[in-house]
Amino acid sequence: MKKRYLAASTALIALLATGCGQEDTDANSSAEEEMVVPISVDLTVPESGEAGEAVHLSAAVTQGDEKVADADDVEYEIWEEGKKEDSWMVKSEQNTDGLYEAEATFEHDGLFHVQVHVTARDMHTMPMKEITIGEGAAEETGEAGHESGHGDHHGEHATEGFSMHFMEPDAVKANEPAMMMVHLQQDDQPLEGARVRLEVVVNDKSDAAQWVKLSEEKPGEYTGELTVDAIGKATVTVHVEDDEGLHEHESHELTISE
């Protein structure tokens, strides 16, 4: 009888030890997964420049102490103050490990925004700086921006430090699902826990607007599928809200083909 009790006790101790060991392993694995070091971007943009002359832009991408030489995409988006809808993109080149450089030329004087979009190691960040070209913005520029009706509707956001990047798909075809992706940041950090919806109006038929709810797959990255049943032009308005009172929106145009 004593031998039976001894065997049972030994088995129980072994089982408990195995369970504790498994819990420790799971805890260590979870801790390792949570300790992902975010990428960091040091964006360098001159404070001023001259119209018609090339301006050098650079973005140093790191992860901890490591230079990130394998970024998936580094692209500069540039627009004049109050004219986000007319922004243009400039591709970068990596001439030194982790340093992604580009040149931009501005056609006229004004105040411009330079935002670099960096996608690397399953993370996305998009710091932004300003540059004054020539004499800077004319006094009436701000008023003209409001009179044009664009305002924050196209991306001049009211919330300080808020940034949005709508990843426009390469092609959208009628009756085929297309992946929509939006990156959000607040004070250069991923904006998590937001409520993000797309309002889609095809061929100006606002009474038949389609709504698509996006889900947060990664910190600050929201995705969802959109299917449109007609060819033509679609206006996609991204609506962003959170529990802190944030309410921003931004519109983009898509072409729907056969």
Side-chain angles (χ1 to χ4, degrees):
M1 182 67 73
K2 289 182 178 179
K3 289 183 178 179
R4 290 183 180 178
Y5 285 140
L6 179 60
S9 299
T10 302
L12 180 59
I13 292 171
L15 181 60
L16 290 174
T18 301
C20 292
Q22 183 64 44
E23 289 178 3
D24 290 342
T25 300
D26 292 343
N28 290 336
S29 298
S30 299
E32 289 177 1
E33 291 176 359
E34 292 175 0
M35 291 175 61
V36 176
V37 179
I39 59 171
S40 177
V41 178
D42 183 12
L43 174 62
T44 301
V45 177
E47 292 184 358
S48 60
E50 296 297 328
E53 296 182 3
V55 173
H56 183 258
L57 312 172
S58 69
V61 185
T62 55
Q63 187 177 32
D65 296 328
E66 179 188 359
K67 296 178 180 178
V68 177
D70 58 353
D72 298 308
D73 186 53
V74 179
E75 195 169 19
Y76 294 87
E77 182 178 11
I78 305 170
W79 67 91
E80 188 174 3
E81 173 73 16
K83 299 180 180 180
K84 178 67 158 58
E85 72 278 9
D86 295 326
S87 68
W88 70 93
M89 309 298 289
V90 179
K91 282 285 187 181
S92 69
E93 291 185 1
Q94 184 181 188
N95 299 313
T96 304
D97 282 355
L99 186 64
Y100 298 82
E101 301 173 294
E103 286 191 345
T105 302
F106 301 82
E107 295 180 352
H108 58 267
D109 292 358
L111 174 64
F112 292 84
H113 300 270
V114 177
Q115 185 172 42
V116 64
H117 298 279
V118 179
T119 302
R121 301 180 179 179
D122 292 328
M123 290 175 274
H124 185 91
T125 188
M126 43 189 179
M128 179 174 62
K129 290 189 175 180
E130 296 180 351
I131 180 172
T132 300
I133 300 299
E135 298 297 323
E139 293 183 1
E140 65 272 19
T141 298
E143 296 179 1
H146 290 292
E147 290 173 1
S148 65
H150 296 311
D152 64 357
H153 183 69
H154 288 278
E156 296 300 326
H157 303 290
T159 304
E160 186 176 353
F162 175 81
S163 187
M164 179 191 308
H165 184 210
F166 174 72
M167 303 286 286
E168 186 170 328
D170 293 332
V172 180
K173 296 184 178 181
N175 299 307
E176 292 186 13
M179 180 60 70
M180 301 288 111
M181 181 181 295
V182 176
H183 287 107
L184 302 177
Q185 284 191 177
Q186 181 66 47
D187 299 325
D188 293 332
Q189 298 297 320
L191 177 60
E192 301 182 58
R195 295 182 294 276
V196 183
R197 297 179 301 157
L198 305 182
E199 180 185 6
V200 185
V201 175
V202 181
N203 297 326
D204 295 326
K205 296 180 180 179
S206 56
D207 56 337
Q210 178 180 348
W211 290 85
V212 178
K213 182 180 179 181
L214 304 188
S215 300
E216 187 174 12
E217 301 299 326
K218 300 175 185 177
E221 180 181 291
Y222 299 80
T223 61
E225 285 190 346
L226 168 66
T227 302
V228 179
D229 60 6
I231 63 173
K233 296 290 185 180
T235 300
V236 179
T237 302
V238 185
H239 294 267
V240 179
E241 298 176 273
D242 69 4
D243 294 334
E244 304 300 321
L246 175 74
H247 189 176
E248 295 283 354
H249 60 279
E250 181 176 304
S251 295
H252 302 268
E253 297 292 330
L254 295 180
T255 298
I256 314 298
S257 60
E258 294 187 50

